[in-house]
Amino acid sequence: MLVFALPVVILALAVRQQFDPLIRADQAAIREATGFSLRHGLIPALTVIQVVSLPIFVYAAATGVVIWTWRSKQLKGRALWAFVTMMVGWGIGGLAKPIAQRARPVVDDGVPHASGYSFPSGHTLNITLATGVMVFLLWPLLSATQRRVAVVLAIVVSVVVGLDRLFIGAHFPSDIFAGHVLGLGIMFASWIGFIGRTASTSSPGPSHPA
């Protein structure tokens, strides 16, 4: 977890201290991204992505998958791990924003202004966490080809949501990067803890977490 937490902490400190090179780069990126979106009429499509990737909708869909794996596939251990990890990650993301207290980007007219704090990106953190958790959850049910497809889909969806946050002017690039890294860190830390606990309570011999 330290590998993932360290860059997020460094970025958060840079944000709080208004580290000039980072602030300038972030603001320049926002101007270019939102200007591109306005010139090419992308705001309506970006708004749709913004809405469907709201954490409440993402976790509602993910919870449906969790229930299915619990009831139909008897992967109770994995299902419980997946649900708890996502809820804890959602909470961590909410707690992180008031710590950094970064204001949202100031955007041009025609770009919807988001409310609340900006660092880290909640959309990005939660979609990265949820898609990654789904891959781990469903892994035993997938063929080798399906596993590769699932990993690629998880990466593509996370990147698309991250780009949406930038081009709709809701977050600076550093917010988005921190969201991705924090989401991955929570997922891997939780998974390592889960397989460690499973291994310590299972009988000797090769086994896989249920």
Side-chain angles (χ1 to χ4, degrees):
M1 180 62 180
L2 181 62
V3 174
F4 295 95
L6 186 59
V8 175
V9 170
I10 292 172
L11 274 177
L13 290 172
V15 167
R16 285 298 300 267
Q17 296 301 318
Q18 293 291 294
F19 182 58
D20 191 61
L22 174 66
I23 301 303
R24 287 179 178 272
D26 273 346
Q27 291 176 343
I30 279 291
R31 287 194 299 269
E32 290 296 324
T34 54
F36 181 89
S37 299
L38 288 170
R39 289 193 300 273
H40 293 84
L42 300 179
I43 299 300
L46 294 171
T47 302
V48 171
I49 296 173
Q50 174 175 261
V51 171
V52 299
S53 61
L54 282 167
I56 188 67
F57 297 140
V58 170
Y59 287 129
T63 299
V65 178
V66 167
I67 294 171
W68 174 72
T69 57
W70 180 297
R71 295 174 62 90
S72 299
K73 300 301 178 181
Q74 300 301 306
L75 295 177
K76 295 183 179 180
R78 279 178 180 256
L80 181 60
W81 164 80
F83 183 75
V84 171
T85 299
M86 291 187 295
M87 295 303 101
V88 169
W90 193 2
I92 290 173
L95 291 173
K97 286 178 179 288
I99 294 174
Q101 295 186 355
R102 187 182 203 181
R104 295 276 187 170
V106 177
V107 293
D108 295 330
D109 293 338
V111 179
H113 181 75
S115 59
Y117 292 124
S118 189
F119 184 95
S121 166
H123 274 71
T124 308
L125 185 159
N126 288 297
I127 197 68
T128 301
L129 178 60
T131 54
V133 165
M134 289 297 101
V135 171
F136 277 93
L137 174 63
L138 299 174
W139 195 262
L141 307 176
L142 304 176
S143 66
T145 299
Q146 289 171 332
R147 288 173 177 178
R148 288 192 290 270
V149 171
V151 171
V152 171
L153 282 175
I155 293 171
V156 169
V157 170
S158 297
V159 169
V160 167
V161 171
L163 290 174
D164 173 80
R165 308 315 290 147
L166 174 64
F167 281 87
I168 205 171
H171 287 286
F172 296 106
S174 56
D175 304 333
I176 296 163
F177 176 77
H180 283 308
V181 173
L182 192 54
L184 288 172
I186 293 167
M187 179 188 67
F188 280 115
S190 178
W191 178 248
I192 290 170
F194 172 64
I195 60 176
R197 179 190 60 79
T198 303
S200 67
T201 56
S202 62
S203 56
S207 63
H208 300 282

